[in-house]
Amino acid sequence: MPHPATNPSGRPAAATFVRVYGFLLVALALECAVFEIIARSQGIRPFLSVDNLILILNQSAIYGVVSVGMTFVIIAGGIDLSVGSLIAFGGVVGALVTRAMADALVTRAVADAEWWALAGGWAVALAAGLAAGCFSGLFITRFQIPPFIATLAIMSSVRGAGYLMVGGSPVSDLPADYIFLGRHNIAGHVPVSVIVMLAAFIGGGILLNSTPFGRHVRAIGGGEESARLSGVPVNRVKWIVYCMCSVLAIVGGLILSSKMRSGDPTVGVGDELQVIAAVVVGGTSLSGGRGTIMGTFIGLLIIAVLATGLTWIGMESFGQQVILGIVILAAVLMDRFKGAA
Amino acid sequence: MSEEYVLQMQDIVKRFPGVVAVKNGQLTLKPGEVHCLVGENGAGKSTLMKILSGAQPMDSGAILLSGKPVTIHSPHHAQQLGISMIYQEFNLSPYLSVAENIYLGREPRLGKSPFINWSKMYNDARDILKRIRVNLDVRKPVNECSVAQQQMVEIAKALSFNSRIIVMDEPSATLTDHELDALFELIAELKRQGIGMIYISHRLEEIFAIGDRVTVMRDGEYIDTKPVSDVNREDIIRMMVGRALTHEFPKEHFDLGEERLRVEELTRKGAFQDVSFSLHRGEIVGLTGLVGAGRTEVARAIFGADRIDGGQIVLDGKPVTVRSPQDAIRQGIGLLTEDRKNQGLILGMTIRENTTLANLRSLVRILFVDRSRERKIASEFVRELQIKTPGIEQTAQNLSGGNQQKVVLAKWLFTESKVLIFDEPTRGIDVGAKVEIYRLMNDLVRKGVCILMISSELPEVLGMCDRILVMHEGHLAGSLDRKDATQERIMKLATGDTLASIV
Ligand SMILES: Nc1ncnc2c1ncn2[C@@H]1O[C@H](COP(=O)(O)OP(=O)(O)OP(=O)(O)O)[C@@H](O)[C@H]1O
Ligand SMILES: [Mg+2]
């Protein structure tokens, strides 16, 4: 099949940008326009506004952060089903450690006790995510277990571990500053979670496009044996990719738990599919080798605008799911069509 | 007049973004004729044939079958019209049996039931194989068949459609000499049965062995069609390249320098045992033998692609351990693999990205790949190797076979290795470009690189190598100096004679 994202003669960057992302951007704009028209015709408040934009970004922050890692995994020819469980696990571990540290530090009257506790919670949670990613990587590279199965197993174990740690009920009684990641705004308007998400996208984009590591990820997804015989450290790169994805899932989990001010082991069920949807709508090929971070960002927005917009015009959530399914199919079909043209 | 031909292709035009692959395609085919189609890499041969087999639509032109114009919509439609194409990469399903593959999608049924009539299927398959005098168990899974047998299965499949026209795109590239003889016999048999064949190959001697007429294409243009009996090798080359080729093997001799690579008693169980040889500055050493003698395995082991069970590799006087291709490349050893699609190229990546993949490190400036230098390097290689493409951002899968091979070559040239192992480097490369590649080898040797060239094409080995190592069943059967080497001696060593008995 022809590769849509190329221009053989090397035309200017702007032209390439339009060629590669034009279709996605048009889809996004169209979607916004439809909601705007419906909102106006029904006399609801206008859909397009700065506040609403921030709202949408804020709501997509969790999936956004995780989708950066997932994009790398999928481009490398793999899949990671464990991210939904890791979202819950990250929240539980973060909350547990933060609460325990806060209790200990406050009684000893340490300065900035809550902040230290928060930082400790993040650090332990991230380390746990790194460990989970290492396990996935180990099974996938050393033992050659297909990623689907390896991460399915991790998904189950991690979900269970979250429950075991808290005995089924959420961790609450968290310090007031616990909401920093999820609900705090910088300069009064810009949520911290949105900044974290944008940082992940920008960092991920640079990593994928401009570093040897990113090139290696694409080479592995495009042809693992060719890559290996060209001296690409296939196992190491894959390992890093799964670790990265798991760690980003934990970041997503910390944001979610901060938004809820609790560590709940039941959240995040099925989130892996939402994240994969954003990646795929963004034009990344599930067979590996092909995809962009920018595409994932737009794919994420397409789905987030849809969810927010449908709620805005008053559709209940069952109907939303039906429409989401249709949008995913349409996006992938259009991508195929663009490839054939 | 027109009834004489089963097939006429007239004024075929096919454009791709940035290239006109076929500008003016012309081809006629008579029943029972072998029509050879030749031309340089990227001349448009495969594209013309993909149009015929329905794999690609044409922009304009006409296709006539037995004088009647047709429009071919799909490969399936082409098969129904009696046109079958045998690609170099076979379209067989690896775990299904020979018979299942021949009748895939058209399995005979038990009456009107949905169940397969196995005995009929096996019998029919046996009949077809008998018709082409191929001795092969129809129940054998295709992945257990040799490449040549798989090709026979493809041909049997084509016959099961009652094809009148069979297209073979470089069928000989992956065959051993014996297998090639078998293929030629089969082609002769098909000729007797009145089937017209179009045969694409870069090995011009094959044209004289089996061809009735030959058509030459250059840059997408039709050049000429001639009866094979009216032309000689030089005529064909002149038509292909547009000028005469003076030296097919521009061998240059250099003084022998110090030893660069030595392997001692290298062993990999089940593949080769106790292989020892050394390579010096200033020489090209050939490694030949029958397919399956262990040549590629030795190369892969030196390169760290496969584990070794014993032996030692010494590079520039120092013993080295090579655990992975990454290790090998870092130490200065490169391997150009024989299978460019699965082991050489990342097909979805661009020429630029493929060229630099094995030496990306050298382009890193503070963590990032230096794109502008990368572009410059890729452009230089495209120019130097005369890769036919609209630009360096073309994806590898859109290149013609020979041009893909040149990109793989560029990748290894860019690694600046000390030792380069070339496994069938000129497979699928046209005569003119071959000479360019030999010149490049000369340049490399002049710079101190030593080259180990694995090749099944004896003229090339004899023409370019200073020394020839011959393998037989996993052992090194002997080593011949350039002045002592003859085709006959090599073949004797390759088939099991000892060095003492032949010199
Ligand atoms: N899908 C494609 N997209 C873009 N360009 C293509 C595509 N297929 C072929 N081409 C271009 O068309 C030209 C003719 O290619 P073709 O494969 O027909 O050459 P060929 O004569 O078979 O060469 P070779 O001997 O190397 O196999 C080449 O320049 C090639 O790059
Ligand atoms: Mg070709």
mmCIF file of all heavy atoms in Angstrom, chain A residues 1 3 6-8 206 209-212 215 218-219 223 225-226 228-231 233 236, chain B residues 303 305 325-326 329 342-346 353 358 364 367-369 371 374 391 393 397 411:
data_model
loop_
_atom_site.group_PDB
_atom_site.id
_atom_site.type_symbol
_atom_site.label_atom_id
_atom_site.label_comp_id
_atom_site.label_asym_id
_atom_site.label_seq_id
_atom_site.Cartn_x
_atom_site.Cartn_y
_atom_site.Cartn_z
ATOM 1 N N MET A 1 0.845 -1.216 0.000
ATOM 2 C CA MET A 1 0.000 0.000 0.000
ATOM 3 C C MET A 1 0.871 1.254 0.000
ATOM 4 O O MET A 1 1.889 1.280 0.681
ATOM 5 C CB MET A 1 -0.867 -0.004 1.250
ATOM 6 C CG MET A 1 -2.291 0.413 0.959
ATOM 7 S SD MET A 1 -3.083 0.870 2.489
ATOM 8 C CE MET A 1 -3.258 -0.738 3.227
ATOM 9 N N HIS A 3 2.357 4.841 0.895
ATOM 10 C CA HIS A 3 2.520 5.529 2.162
ATOM 11 C C HIS A 3 2.010 6.949 1.964
ATOM 12 O O HIS A 3 2.534 7.683 1.147
ATOM 13 C CB HIS A 3 4.008 5.513 2.484
ATOM 14 C CG HIS A 3 4.304 5.979 3.857
ATOM 15 N ND1 HIS A 3 4.360 7.290 4.187
ATOM 16 C CD2 HIS A 3 4.539 5.290 4.990
ATOM 17 C CE1 HIS A 3 4.634 7.392 5.475
ATOM 18 N NE2 HIS A 3 4.747 6.199 5.973
ATOM 19 N N THR A 6 4.112 10.905 2.591
ATOM 20 C CA THR A 6 5.392 11.285 2.015
ATOM 21 C C THR A 6 5.198 12.265 0.880
ATOM 22 O O THR A 6 4.164 12.318 0.243
ATOM 23 C CB THR A 6 6.101 10.072 1.387
ATOM 24 O OG1 THR A 6 5.168 9.425 0.550
ATOM 25 C CG2 THR A 6 6.634 9.165 2.426
ATOM 26 N N ASN A 7 6.203 13.041 0.638
ATOM 27 C CA ASN A 7 6.262 13.747 -0.621
ATOM 28 C C ASN A 7 7.648 13.510 -1.177
ATOM 29 O O ASN A 7 8.648 13.902 -0.611
ATOM 30 C CB ASN A 7 5.905 15.224 -0.451
ATOM 31 C CG ASN A 7 6.936 15.989 0.311
ATOM 32 O OD1 ASN A 7 7.900 15.414 0.769
ATOM 33 N ND2 ASN A 7 6.755 17.266 0.438
ATOM 34 N N PRO A 8 7.699 12.760 -2.262
ATOM 35 C CA PRO A 8 8.974 12.243 -2.749
ATOM 36 C C PRO A 8 10.016 13.315 -3.034
ATOM 37 O O PRO A 8 11.203 13.097 -2.830
ATOM 38 C CB PRO A 8 8.599 11.492 -4.017
ATOM 39 C CG PRO A 8 7.153 11.666 -4.235
ATOM 40 C CD PRO A 8 6.560 12.320 -3.047
ATOM 41 N N ILE A 206 9.069 15.656 19.816
ATOM 42 C CA ILE A 206 10.501 15.868 19.554
ATOM 43 C C ILE A 206 11.240 14.536 19.573
ATOM 44 O O ILE A 206 12.055 14.240 18.697
ATOM 45 C CB ILE A 206 11.099 16.846 20.592
ATOM 46 C CG1 ILE A 206 10.503 18.240 20.377
ATOM 47 C CG2 ILE A 206 12.619 16.900 20.473
ATOM 48 C CD1 ILE A 206 10.888 19.244 21.430
ATOM 49 N N ASN A 209 10.329 12.575 16.329
ATOM 50 C CA ASN A 209 10.726 13.139 15.039
ATOM 51 C C ASN A 209 12.207 13.428 14.917
ATOM 52 O O ASN A 209 12.758 13.377 13.831
ATOM 53 C CB ASN A 209 9.983 14.451 14.790
ATOM 54 C CG ASN A 209 8.530 14.203 14.534
ATOM 55 O OD1 ASN A 209 8.170 13.151 14.012
ATOM 56 N ND2 ASN A 209 7.696 15.142 14.937
ATOM 57 N N SER A 210 12.839 13.776 15.997
ATOM 58 C CA SER A 210 14.165 14.366 15.840
ATOM 59 C C SER A 210 15.297 13.570 16.439
ATOM 60 O O SER A 210 16.450 13.940 16.263
ATOM 61 C CB SER A 210 14.182 15.771 16.448
ATOM 62 O OG SER A 210 13.105 16.508 15.925
ATOM 63 N N THR A 211 15.005 12.509 17.177
ATOM 64 C CA THR A 211 16.109 11.779 17.801
ATOM 65 C C THR A 211 16.307 10.421 17.138
ATOM 66 O O THR A 211 15.386 9.890 16.522
ATOM 67 C CB THR A 211 15.828 11.533 19.300
ATOM 68 O OG1 THR A 211 14.719 10.634 19.406
ATOM 69 C CG2 THR A 211 15.514 12.823 20.029
ATOM 70 N N PRO A 212 17.499 9.867 17.274
ATOM 71 C CA PRO A 212 17.745 8.522 16.757
ATOM 72 C C PRO A 212 16.782 7.514 17.375
ATOM 73 O O PRO A 212 16.334 6.593 16.709
ATOM 74 C CB PRO A 212 19.178 8.220 17.201
ATOM 75 C CG PRO A 212 19.801 9.538 17.422
ATOM 76 C CD PRO A 212 18.714 10.457 17.862
ATOM 77 N N ARG A 215 13.579 7.460 15.478
ATOM 78 C CA ARG A 215 13.802 6.813 14.186
ATOM 79 C C ARG A 215 13.842 5.304 14.369
ATOM 80 O O ARG A 215 13.291 4.550 13.583
ATOM 81 C CB ARG A 215 15.116 7.327 13.598
ATOM 82 C CG ARG A 215 15.419 6.850 12.197
ATOM 83 C CD ARG A 215 14.566 7.532 11.145
ATOM 84 N NE ARG A 215 14.711 8.959 11.075
ATOM 85 C CZ ARG A 215 15.682 9.591 10.409
ATOM 86 N NH1 ARG A 215 16.583 8.919 9.763
ATOM 87 N NH2 ARG A 215 15.733 10.899 10.382
ATOM 88 N N ARG A 218 10.367 3.786 14.775
ATOM 89 C CA ARG A 218 9.654 3.627 13.506
ATOM 90 C C ARG A 218 10.252 2.503 12.670
ATOM 91 O O ARG A 218 9.545 1.761 11.988
ATOM 92 C CB ARG A 218 9.664 4.941 12.729
ATOM 93 C CG ARG A 218 8.791 5.995 13.402
ATOM 94 C CD ARG A 218 8.306 7.038 12.437
ATOM 95 N NE ARG A 218 9.393 7.829 11.918
ATOM 96 C CZ ARG A 218 9.696 7.926 10.644
ATOM 97 N NH1 ARG A 218 8.986 7.264 9.740
ATOM 98 N NH2 ARG A 218 10.699 8.669 10.259
ATOM 99 N N ALA A 219 11.569 2.375 12.741
ATOM 100 C CA ALA A 219 12.218 1.315 11.958
ATOM 101 C C ALA A 219 11.781 -0.063 12.450
ATOM 102 O O ALA A 219 11.501 -0.961 11.652
ATOM 103 C CB ALA A 219 13.730 1.449 12.046
ATOM 104 N N GLY A 223 9.799 -2.830 10.124
ATOM 105 C CA GLY A 223 10.445 -4.074 9.694
ATOM 106 C C GLY A 223 11.488 -4.464 10.723
ATOM 107 O O GLY A 223 12.611 -3.989 10.679
ATOM 108 N N GLU A 225 13.187 -7.189 11.498
ATOM 109 C CA GLU A 225 14.402 -7.910 11.137
ATOM 110 C C GLU A 225 15.367 -6.982 10.388
ATOM 111 O O GLU A 225 16.566 -6.971 10.657
ATOM 112 C CB GLU A 225 14.048 -9.143 10.305
ATOM 113 C CG GLU A 225 15.195 -10.086 10.016
ATOM 114 C CD GLU A 225 15.862 -10.676 11.262
ATOM 115 O OE1 GLU A 225 15.367 -10.444 12.385
ATOM 116 O OE2 GLU A 225 16.895 -11.355 11.109
ATOM 117 N N SER A 226 14.830 -6.204 9.465
ATOM 118 C CA SER A 226 15.687 -5.247 8.767
ATOM 119 C C SER A 226 16.335 -4.292 9.761
ATOM 120 O O SER A 226 17.511 -3.953 9.640
ATOM 121 C CB SER A 226 14.883 -4.432 7.752
ATOM 122 O OG SER A 226 14.478 -5.242 6.689
ATOM 123 N N ARG A 228 16.964 -4.801 12.966
ATOM 124 C CA ARG A 228 17.977 -5.496 13.760
ATOM 125 C C ARG A 228 19.267 -5.640 12.966
ATOM 126 O O ARG A 228 20.362 -5.404 13.475
ATOM 127 C CB ARG A 228 17.460 -6.878 14.150
ATOM 128 C CG ARG A 228 18.324 -7.607 15.163
ATOM 129 C CD ARG A 228 17.642 -8.896 15.593
ATOM 130 N NE ARG A 228 17.847 -9.964 14.657
ATOM 131 C CZ ARG A 228 18.848 -10.849 14.727
ATOM 132 N NH1 ARG A 228 19.707 -10.773 15.718
ATOM 133 N NH2 ARG A 228 18.980 -11.790 13.831
ATOM 134 N N LEU A 229 19.119 -5.998 11.689
ATOM 135 C CA LEU A 229 20.308 -6.205 10.867
ATOM 136 C C LEU A 229 20.941 -4.890 10.425
ATOM 137 O O LEU A 229 21.983 -4.875 9.792
ATOM 138 C CB LEU A 229 19.965 -7.071 9.650
ATOM 139 C CG LEU A 229 19.576 -8.508 9.992
ATOM 140 C CD1 LEU A 229 19.110 -9.246 8.756
ATOM 141 C CD2 LEU A 229 20.718 -9.251 10.655
ATOM 142 N N SER A 230 20.278 -3.790 10.732
ATOM 143 C CA SER A 230 20.910 -2.495 10.487
ATOM 144 C C SER A 230 21.526 -1.961 11.766
ATOM 145 O O SER A 230 21.895 -0.799 11.847
ATOM 146 C CB SER A 230 19.890 -1.482 9.966
ATOM 147 O OG SER A 230 19.351 -1.923 8.757
ATOM 148 N N GLY A 231 21.574 -2.799 12.787
ATOM 149 C CA GLY A 231 22.227 -2.384 14.022
ATOM 150 C C GLY A 231 21.336 -1.639 14.993
ATOM 151 O O GLY A 231 21.819 -1.064 15.956
ATOM 152 N N PRO A 233 19.232 -1.361 18.155
ATOM 153 C CA PRO A 233 19.126 -2.184 19.364
ATOM 154 C C PRO A 233 17.657 -2.478 19.670
ATOM 155 O O PRO A 233 17.051 -1.867 20.548
ATOM 156 C CB PRO A 233 19.764 -1.320 20.450
ATOM 157 C CG PRO A 233 19.677 0.073 19.948
ATOM 158 C CD PRO A 233 19.634 0.025 18.458
ATOM 159 N N ARG A 236 16.340 -3.180 23.325
ATOM 160 C CA ARG A 236 16.443 -2.045 24.231
ATOM 161 C C ARG A 236 15.381 -0.995 23.891
ATOM 162 O O ARG A 236 14.715 -0.458 24.768
ATOM 163 C CB ARG A 236 17.836 -1.420 24.159
ATOM 164 C CG ARG A 236 18.035 -0.382 25.260
ATOM 165 C CD ARG A 236 19.204 0.537 24.994
ATOM 166 N NE ARG A 236 20.392 -0.172 24.566
ATOM 167 C CZ ARG A 236 21.387 0.409 23.899
ATOM 168 N NH1 ARG A 236 21.313 1.678 23.582
ATOM 169 N NH2 ARG A 236 22.444 -0.289 23.536
ATOM 170 N N PHE B 303 28.662 -11.491 11.306
ATOM 171 C CA PHE B 303 27.975 -10.222 11.531
ATOM 172 C C PHE B 303 27.215 -10.213 12.861
ATOM 173 O O PHE B 303 26.646 -9.199 13.245
ATOM 174 C CB PHE B 303 27.009 -10.002 10.367
ATOM 175 C CG PHE B 303 26.293 -8.681 10.382
ATOM 176 C CD1 PHE B 303 27.000 -7.492 10.336
ATOM 177 C CD2 PHE B 303 24.918 -8.625 10.417
ATOM 178 C CE1 PHE B 303 26.336 -6.275 10.333
ATOM 179 C CE2 PHE B 303 24.243 -7.419 10.411
ATOM 180 C CZ PHE B 303 24.966 -6.246 10.374
ATOM 181 N N ALA B 305 24.508 -11.826 13.560
ATOM 182 C CA ALA B 305 23.061 -12.011 13.419
ATOM 183 C C ALA B 305 22.630 -13.367 13.968
ATOM 184 O O ALA B 305 21.511 -13.527 14.425
ATOM 185 C CB ALA B 305 22.645 -11.880 11.960
ATOM 186 N N PRO B 325 24.292 -7.657 15.582
ATOM 187 C CA PRO B 325 24.635 -6.812 14.440
ATOM 188 C C PRO B 325 25.105 -5.427 14.888
ATOM 189 O O PRO B 325 26.009 -4.847 14.294
ATOM 190 C CB PRO B 325 23.322 -6.720 13.680
ATOM 191 C CG PRO B 325 22.611 -7.979 14.005
ATOM 192 C CD PRO B 325 22.970 -8.273 15.427
ATOM 193 N N GLN B 326 24.506 -4.962 15.974
ATOM 194 C CA GLN B 326 24.898 -3.653 16.496
ATOM 195 C C GLN B 326 26.380 -3.645 16.861
ATOM 196 O O GLN B 326 27.113 -2.713 16.533
ATOM 197 C CB GLN B 326 24.054 -3.395 17.735
ATOM 198 C CG GLN B 326 23.925 -1.962 18.125
ATOM 199 C CD GLN B 326 23.385 -1.880 19.542
ATOM 200 O OE1 GLN B 326 22.952 -2.884 20.111
ATOM 201 N NE2 GLN B 326 23.421 -0.699 20.096
ATOM 202 N N ILE B 329 28.535 -3.712 13.648
ATOM 203 C CA ILE B 329 28.606 -2.422 12.969
ATOM 204 C C ILE B 329 29.545 -1.484 13.724
ATOM 205 O O ILE B 329 30.358 -0.773 13.130
ATOM 206 C CB ILE B 329 27.191 -1.818 12.829
ATOM 207 C CG1 ILE B 329 26.373 -2.669 11.873
ATOM 208 C CG2 ILE B 329 27.264 -0.382 12.354
ATOM 209 C CD1 ILE B 329 24.907 -2.364 11.879
ATOM 210 N N ASN B 342 12.891 -8.153 3.430
ATOM 211 C CA ASN B 342 12.670 -8.468 4.837
ATOM 212 C C ASN B 342 13.873 -8.206 5.716
ATOM 213 O O ASN B 342 13.756 -8.101 6.920
ATOM 214 C CB ASN B 342 12.264 -9.936 4.991
ATOM 215 C CG ASN B 342 10.961 -10.221 4.296
ATOM 216 O OD1 ASN B 342 9.997 -9.495 4.476
ATOM 217 N ND2 ASN B 342 10.943 -11.247 3.480
ATOM 218 N N GLN B 343 15.052 -8.151 5.123
ATOM 219 C CA GLN B 343 16.241 -8.013 5.948
ATOM 220 C C GLN B 343 17.084 -6.808 5.580
ATOM 221 O O GLN B 343 18.073 -6.528 6.242
ATOM 222 C CB GLN B 343 17.102 -9.272 5.817
ATOM 223 C CG GLN B 343 16.322 -10.521 6.154
ATOM 224 C CD GLN B 343 17.188 -11.758 6.108
ATOM 225 O OE1 GLN B 343 18.259 -11.747 5.533
ATOM 226 N NE2 GLN B 343 16.717 -12.815 6.718
ATOM 227 N N GLY B 344 16.708 -6.122 4.522
ATOM 228 C CA GLY B 344 17.546 -5.019 4.088
ATOM 229 C C GLY B 344 16.899 -3.664 4.299
ATOM 230 O O GLY B 344 17.490 -2.761 4.855
ATOM 231 N N LEU B 345 15.641 -3.561 3.879
ATOM 232 C CA LEU B 345 14.999 -2.261 3.879
ATOM 233 C C LEU B 345 13.861 -2.189 4.882
ATOM 234 O O LEU B 345 13.250 -3.191 5.214
ATOM 235 C CB LEU B 345 14.385 -1.997 2.502
ATOM 236 C CG LEU B 345 15.334 -1.721 1.357
ATOM 237 C CD1 LEU B 345 14.563 -1.745 0.056
ATOM 238 C CD2 LEU B 345 16.003 -0.371 1.547
ATOM 239 N N ILE B 346 13.590 -0.970 5.357
ATOM 240 C CA ILE B 346 12.321 -0.710 6.007
ATOM 241 C C ILE B 346 11.465 -0.132 4.890
ATOM 242 O O ILE B 346 11.619 1.033 4.501
ATOM 243 C CB ILE B 346 12.474 0.325 7.140
ATOM 244 C CG1 ILE B 346 13.654 -0.021 8.043
ATOM 245 C CG2 ILE B 346 11.173 0.460 7.899
ATOM 246 C CD1 ILE B 346 13.463 -1.164 8.985
ATOM 247 N N GLU B 353 15.838 7.918 5.086
ATOM 248 C CA GLU B 353 15.890 7.225 6.370
ATOM 249 C C GLU B 353 16.566 5.861 6.265
ATOM 250 O O GLU B 353 17.266 5.430 7.174
ATOM 251 C CB GLU B 353 14.475 7.074 6.931
ATOM 252 C CG GLU B 353 13.880 8.386 7.368
ATOM 253 C CD GLU B 353 12.388 8.315 7.600
ATOM 254 O OE1 GLU B 353 11.686 7.657 6.800
ATOM 255 O OE2 GLU B 353 11.915 8.898 8.580
ATOM 256 N N ALA B 358 21.811 2.587 9.484
ATOM 257 C CA ALA B 358 22.842 1.798 10.151
ATOM 258 C C ALA B 358 23.939 2.672 10.751
ATOM 259 O O ALA B 358 24.825 2.174 11.443
ATOM 260 C CB ALA B 358 23.444 0.790 9.176
ATOM 261 N N VAL B 364 24.275 12.528 14.750
ATOM 262 C CA VAL B 364 23.650 13.119 15.923
ATOM 263 C C VAL B 364 24.413 14.361 16.364
ATOM 264 O O VAL B 364 25.632 14.339 16.505
ATOM 265 C CB VAL B 364 23.593 12.106 17.077
ATOM 266 C CG1 VAL B 364 23.054 12.754 18.332
ATOM 267 C CG2 VAL B 364 22.727 10.933 16.688
ATOM 268 N N LEU B 367 21.916 15.199 20.789
ATOM 269 C CA LEU B 367 20.702 14.373 20.899
ATOM 270 C C LEU B 367 19.889 14.269 19.618
ATOM 271 O O LEU B 367 19.108 13.345 19.443
ATOM 272 C CB LEU B 367 19.770 14.889 22.012
ATOM 273 C CG LEU B 367 20.307 14.875 23.435
ATOM 274 C CD1 LEU B 367 19.243 15.445 24.387
ATOM 275 C CD2 LEU B 367 20.687 13.469 23.866
ATOM 276 N N PHE B 368 20.020 15.219 18.720
ATOM 277 C CA PHE B 368 19.115 15.219 17.578
ATOM 278 C C PHE B 368 19.803 14.808 16.282
ATOM 279 O O PHE B 368 20.992 15.031 16.094
ATOM 280 C CB PHE B 368 18.483 16.599 17.390
ATOM 281 C CG PHE B 368 17.714 17.041 18.598
ATOM 282 C CD1 PHE B 368 18.039 18.224 19.235
ATOM 283 C CD2 PHE B 368 16.690 16.260 19.101
ATOM 284 C CE1 PHE B 368 17.339 18.622 20.362
ATOM 285 C CE2 PHE B 368 15.990 16.650 20.222
ATOM 286 C CZ PHE B 368 16.313 17.834 20.854
ATOM 287 N N VAL B 369 19.002 14.221 15.394
ATOM 288 C CA VAL B 369 19.520 13.870 14.078
ATOM 289 C C VAL B 369 19.646 15.144 13.244
ATOM 290 O O VAL B 369 18.694 15.918 13.146
ATOM 291 C CB VAL B 369 18.566 12.895 13.363
ATOM 292 C CG1 VAL B 369 19.083 12.566 11.979
ATOM 293 C CG2 VAL B 369 18.395 11.631 14.187
ATOM 294 N N ARG B 371 19.172 16.848 10.330
ATOM 295 C CA ARG B 371 18.399 16.579 9.128
ATOM 296 C C ARG B 371 19.041 17.103 7.854
ATOM 297 O O ARG B 371 19.012 16.462 6.818
ATOM 298 C CB ARG B 371 17.012 17.240 9.230
ATOM 299 C CG ARG B 371 16.016 16.493 10.017
ATOM 300 C CD ARG B 371 15.488 15.275 9.281
ATOM 301 N NE ARG B 371 14.606 14.559 10.190
ATOM 302 C CZ ARG B 371 13.286 14.744 10.207
ATOM 303 N NH1 ARG B 371 12.711 15.529 9.348
ATOM 304 N NH2 ARG B 371 12.545 14.098 11.081
ATOM 305 N N GLU B 374 21.762 14.960 6.850
ATOM 306 C CA GLU B 374 21.201 13.685 6.423
ATOM 307 C C GLU B 374 20.680 13.794 4.985
ATOM 308 O O GLU B 374 20.937 12.926 4.149
ATOM 309 C CB GLU B 374 20.057 13.293 7.369
ATOM 310 C CG GLU B 374 19.544 11.899 7.114
ATOM 311 C CD GLU B 374 18.389 11.522 8.027
ATOM 312 O OE1 GLU B 374 17.638 12.436 8.463
ATOM 313 O OE2 GLU B 374 18.214 10.328 8.289
ATOM 314 N N GLY B 391 12.968 11.763 -5.738
ATOM 315 C CA GLY B 391 13.636 12.474 -4.654
ATOM 316 C C GLY B 391 13.934 11.564 -3.490
ATOM 317 O O GLY B 391 13.488 10.417 -3.449
ATOM 318 N N GLU B 393 12.848 11.664 -0.570
ATOM 319 C CA GLU B 393 11.734 11.401 0.343
ATOM 320 C C GLU B 393 10.777 10.354 -0.219
ATOM 321 O O GLU B 393 9.691 10.143 0.306
ATOM 322 C CB GLU B 393 10.967 12.691 0.674
ATOM 323 C CG GLU B 393 11.830 13.778 1.316
ATOM 324 C CD GLU B 393 12.430 13.345 2.649
ATOM 325 O OE1 GLU B 393 11.807 12.524 3.352
ATOM 326 O OE2 GLU B 393 13.548 13.804 2.964
ATOM 327 N N GLN B 397 9.299 1.330 -0.731
ATOM 328 C CA GLN B 397 8.453 0.352 -1.418
ATOM 329 C C GLN B 397 7.984 0.853 -2.783
ATOM 330 O O GLN B 397 7.532 0.060 -3.596
ATOM 331 C CB GLN B 397 7.258 -0.019 -0.557
ATOM 332 C CG GLN B 397 6.275 1.102 -0.340
ATOM 333 C CD GLN B 397 5.330 0.770 0.801
ATOM 334 O OE1 GLN B 397 5.208 -0.383 1.161
ATOM 335 N NE2 GLN B 397 4.689 1.770 1.350
ATOM 336 N N LYS B 411 23.182 2.260 2.200
ATOM 337 C CA LYS B 411 23.185 2.170 3.660
ATOM 338 C C LYS B 411 24.520 1.638 4.160
ATOM 339 O O LYS B 411 25.087 2.169 5.111
ATOM 340 C CB LYS B 411 22.041 1.256 4.117
ATOM 341 C CG LYS B 411 22.026 1.002 5.598
ATOM 342 C CD LYS B 411 20.788 0.266 6.032
ATOM 343 C CE LYS B 411 20.884 -1.202 5.703
ATOM 344 N NZ LYS B 411 19.694 -1.947 6.140
#
